[in-house]
Amino acid sequence: MSPDTVTTIGGTLVQHGRLSDRIYVMHLSPADLPGILDDLDALAESERYSKIFAKVPASALSSFISRGYVVEARVPGFFRGREDGYFASKFLDAKRRWESGDVAAVLAAVREKAGDGCPVVLPEGWTCAPAAEDDADDLAALYGEVFATYPFPIADPGYLRETMAGDYRYFIVRTEDGRLAAASSAEIYREDENVEMTDFAVHQAFRGKSLSGYLLSRMEEAMRAAGMKTAFTIARALSYPINSTFARAGYACGGTLVNNTNICGGFESMNVWYRTLDE
């Protein structure tokens, strides 16, 4: 099945497709309200999608609520560090609303580790740096190995090079002999002054070294320098390692997006974690 499509409706950036059976409003243009709500409903009906979810500023939330959306997560100061943001969802199939896994147990376990992240030191000779176009082939191979499915075509070197030319910054860790051990990316939303810390992947031969935590700290430094106010992630809700990485780094959990994403071979719920960068 092909990855989901990214397009615009008016001035609003939208991702949609059969893979995750949903519409994702990645960046809402408030000028498109209220008509965009009709457009989203029409697209969902024509494609028979079972979920719509949107990143919505507080000032626009009532418009979504009045059309049947529910709040699944909240991030204080999400927009430009000043206006709260909400992840609002509309379920078009009742079956999609119910979580079968024990997300609460994972959150309880990782919260015991909250804020206790220790500085990670790379093994001698290892390096961490922003990825360049020449790294795209290795990067795509790692992503293809780690993720059986993913909402974006990150196992395609061409896609990675294209996004590198835009508002994505990939970061990689290489071993002393040059092997790609781990990677992540920062997806920058300049207008909103926030950044999604995402695409974390660690080669199975190098797990257990806190490489995701190291990458996260390096990305935070870079994004702080770039003027981003808030960092967030949408993490697999039942994955202890990735939730632990963000809890240890001092992120707060803003909520859970139920049955939200087709990743690693099936549908999974996702936790939204966030922290302020201009502290």
Side-chain angles (χ1 to χ4, degrees), residues 13 22 37 46-47 57 83 89 99 102 122 127 163 234 244 265:
L13 184 66
R22 68 171 194 204
L37 297 167
S46 67
E47 298 296 332
E83 185 174 8
S89 299
E99 168 60 57
D102 196 347
L122 292 180
T127 60
T163 53
I234 303 175
S244 179

Side-chain angles (χ1 to χ4, degrees), residues 190 193-194 221-230 277-278:
R190 295 189 185 279
E193 296 180 24
N194 62 43
E221 291 173 11
M223 293 302 103
R224 204 173 277 116
M228 295 299 105
K229 299 289 199 310
T230 304
L277 290 178
D278 58 354

Side-chain angles (χ1 to χ4, degrees), residues 2 55 97-98 106 109 113 129 189 247 257 266:
S2 60
K55 293 187 294 191
R97 189 186 290 265
W98 306 114
V106 174
K113 310 289 187 182
Y189 293 88
L257 312 177

Side-chain angles (χ1 to χ4, degrees), residues 112-147:
E112 293 182 2
K113 310 289 187 182
D116 75 350
C118 299
V120 180
V121 178
L122 292 180
E124 186 174 352
W126 289 36
T127 60
C128 179
E133 285 193 10
D134 289 347
D135 298 305
D137 288 340
D138 286 351
L139 193 53
L142 174 64
Y143 282 140
E145 184 175 307
V146 171
F147 298 107

Side-chain angles (χ1 to χ4, degrees), residues 19-279:
L19 181 64
S20 288
D21 186 23
R22 68 171 194 204
I23 301 169
Y24 172 20
V25 179
M26 302 170 70
H27 176 80
L28 172 71
S29 174
D32 290 335
L33 286 169
I36 186 68
L37 297 167
D38 293 327
D39 295 332
L40 295 172
D41 284 346
L43 177 59
E45 183 177 0
S46 67
E47 298 296 332
R48 298 183 179 178
Y49 294 140
S50 59
K51 185 175 184 179
I52 308 171
F53 87 109
K55 293 187 294 191
V56 181
S59 56
L61 182 62
S62 62
S63 296
F64 284 80
I65 298 298
S66 70
R67 296 291 291 267
Y69 288 73
V70 295
V71 171
E72 291 199 285
R74 170 181 171 269
V75 177
F78 190 64
F79 295 97
R80 299 165 297 283
R82 297 191 299 271
E83 185 174 8
D84 291 356
Y86 293 85
F87 288 74
S89 299
K90 187 172 188 177
F91 292 90
L92 304 168
D93 182 338
K95 295 177 183 175
R96 185 141 181 183
R97 189 186 290 265
W98 306 114
E99 168 60 57
S100 58
D102 196 347
V103 175
V106 174
L107 289 175
V110 302
R111 280 173 173 147
E112 293 182 2
K113 310 289 187 182
D116 75 350
C118 299
V120 180
V121 178
L122 292 180
E124 186 174 352
W126 289 36
T127 60
C128 179
E133 285 193 10
D134 289 347
D135 298 305
D137 288 340
D138 286 351
L139 193 53
L142 174 64
Y143 282 140
E145 184 175 307
V146 171
F147 298 107
T149 55
Y150 205 79
F152 296 92
I154 58 174
D156 175 3
Y159 171 81
L160 296 178
R161 292 188 182 97
E162 180 183 331
T163 53
M164 284 178 191
D167 281 333
Y168 279 74
R169 300 292 178 268
Y170 293 88
F171 291 74
I172 57 174
V173 172
R174 288 193 181 274
T175 63
E176 188 175 12
D177 60 2
R179 287 179 292 168
L180 184 57
S184 60
S185 79
E187 183 177 354
I188 301 167
Y189 293 88
R190 295 189 185 279
E191 184 178 341
D192 299 333
E193 296 180 24
N194 62 43
V195 56
E196 182 175 357
M197 307 302 212
T198 187
D199 300 338
F200 287 85
V202 179
H203 191 283
Q204 61 180 359
F206 304 112
R207 290 173 185 168
K209 300 179 183 295
S210 299
L211 297 180
S212 290
Y214 186 87
L215 283 163
L216 180 57
S217 65
R218 285 294 302 271
M219 288 199 298
E220 286 178 351
E221 291 173 11
M223 293 302 103
R224 204 173 277 116
M228 295 299 105
K229 299 289 199 310
T230 304
F232 74 101
T233 195
I234 303 175
R236 297 169 61 205
L238 297 178
S239 169
Y240 177 85
I242 194 62
N243 285 279
S244 179
T245 293
F246 283 91
R248 285 178 180 272
Y251 284 65
C253 185
T256 302
L257 312 177
V258 176
N259 292 324
N260 197 71
T261 304
N262 189 329
I263 187 169
C264 291
F267 276 91
E268 297 193 24
S269 296
M270 310 291 282
N271 289 331
V272 176
W273 293 88
Y274 66 88
R275 74 169 297 181
T276 299
L277 290 178
D278 58 354
E279 295 172 331

